[in-house]
Amino acid sequence: MIKSMKDLASLHLDNHDSRLKYYHLFMTMPAETEIPHYDLPAGYSFTTYTRGDRDTWIEIEKSAKEFSTFEEGVDAWQRYYGKHEDVLPDRMFFIIDPNGKKVATATAFFDEKLPGGWLHWVSVSRDAQGKGLSRPLIAHTLHRLQTLGYKELFVPTQTTTWVAAKLYLDFGFRPVPENLEEDHFGWRMLKTLTDHPALKELEPVEVDELLNK
C-alpha cells in the first residue's frame, strides 16, 4: 500500500497522468484579481490565431496528451470553436519558439450558457514543457480576459492534469462551491498531490487512493 509522500514521489506522476482517478475541477476568481506579469524566455514570443491554425492547435493539444488522435482534436475544435472562429484572432494565443514553431496555446473564451470569461484549453507541447512557458501564457490570457470586461473568471480542469490545477490555484483561482461539494474527493486528491495552501481546509486522501485500480 502506498501511503507516504516518499511513496507519492516514487510514482513519478506526469503532469497529465491517466493513472490518476478522474474528477472534474471547476475554479473561479474575481476578474479584478491582480494578475502578475511573467516574461517569456528569450527567443519566444506571442502571436494570435490566424486562419488555418486549427491543425496547429490540435497538434499542440495532442502533444500535451489532451487527445489521443487527431480526429478527437477535430471533434473538440468543432464543439468549442467551430461556430466562433471569427472571434479567435482576438482571443486565441500561441507561443512561438526561437525556430518559429507554435508550441503552446490558450484561449480567452466564454460559455454561452454561463457568465464570465474562461481560461480555455491551456496546453504546452511536450517538447516545450519545462521551459517556463506556462505562467507567461496563463498570465497573458488572463490579462486579455480582464481587458474584455468580464466580472468573473473561470477555468475548467481535472485531477489528471494536477500540475495545471496547481498553477491555477497559484494565480488565485479557487473551487466553485458547487463543484467543491459535488467532486469533493477530487479536491481532496488535489490537496494530497499539491499540498497547496489554498486547500488547507481539506482533508487529504491516502496516496494509494489517488490511482485507478
Side-chain angles (χ1 to χ4, degrees):
M1 181 177 290
I2 300 167
K3 285 185 174 293
S4 71
M5 297 309 291
K6 181 179 179 181
D7 286 335
L8 177 59
S10 74
L11 293 175
H12 302 293
L13 291 170
D14 195 5
N15 54 13
H16 196 310
D17 205 310
S18 60
R19 291 176 294 167
L20 292 167
K21 293 176 181 176
Y22 177 92
Y23 285 87
H24 173 64
L25 305 177
F26 192 27
M27 304 189 196
T28 186
M29 71 178 181
E32 65 267 20
T33 301
E34 184 175 354
I35 307 299
H37 173 80
Y38 294 95
D39 290 323
L40 285 170
Y44 290 83
S45 61
F46 284 109
T47 190
T48 54
Y49 169 88
T50 57
R51 184 172 295 278
D53 273 337
R54 184 201 70 171
D55 289 3
T56 300
W57 180 88
I58 292 171
E59 288 300 337
I60 292 171
E61 299 289 347
K62 186 168 172 282
S63 174
K65 303 205 301 188
E66 292 289 348
F67 309 128
S68 298
T69 67
F70 187 83
E71 290 71 25
E72 287 180 9
V74 172
D75 289 344
W77 180 274
Q78 288 303 117
R79 183 162 64 253
Y80 294 106
Y81 301 134
K83 297 188 298 182
H84 304 293
E85 292 190 28
D86 57 320
V87 305
L88 294 184
D90 197 41
R91 292 173 176 265
M92 180 176 282
F93 301 105
F94 293 92
I95 293 176
I96 301 175
D97 73 6
N99 297 315
K101 180 183 178 182
K102 293 173 181 174
V103 296
T105 184
T107 303
F109 209 51
F110 54 87
D111 188 300
E112 294 172 318
K113 298 178 181 179
L114 292 171
W118 289 57
L119 177 61
H120 214 234
W121 286 100
V122 181
S123 286
V124 178
S125 295
R126 197 73 178 172
D127 58 359
Q129 292 176 10
K131 298 184 183 295
L133 303 182
S134 294
R135 289 182 185 274
L137 177 62
I138 292 168
H140 189 81
T141 309
L142 290 176
H143 284 134
R144 181 61 188 140
L145 285 168
Q146 289 178 325
T147 62
L148 287 167
Y150 293 108
K151 303 302 182 187
E152 189 171 11
L153 305 181
F154 297 99
V155 62
T157 188
Q158 51 275 322
T159 47
T160 50
T161 55
W162 62 282
V163 174
K166 180 183 182 299
L167 274 175
Y168 303 145
L169 292 172
D170 288 346
F171 271 90
F173 281 98
R174 296 295 180 262
V176 170
E178 293 82 0
N179 179 247
L180 179 61
E181 181 177 350
E182 292 170 3
D183 288 324
H184 191 70
F185 190 84
W187 285 102
R188 290 178 58 207
M189 284 178 59
L190 192 62
K191 164 73 172 185
T192 301
L193 290 162
T194 68
D195 197 27
H196 199 284
L199 305 178
K200 63 182 180 181
E201 302 300 325
L202 296 181
E203 186 72 22
V205 304
E206 296 289 347
V207 176
D208 64 324
E209 295 181 282
L210 296 170
L211 302 180
N212 294 305
K213 303 300 183 183

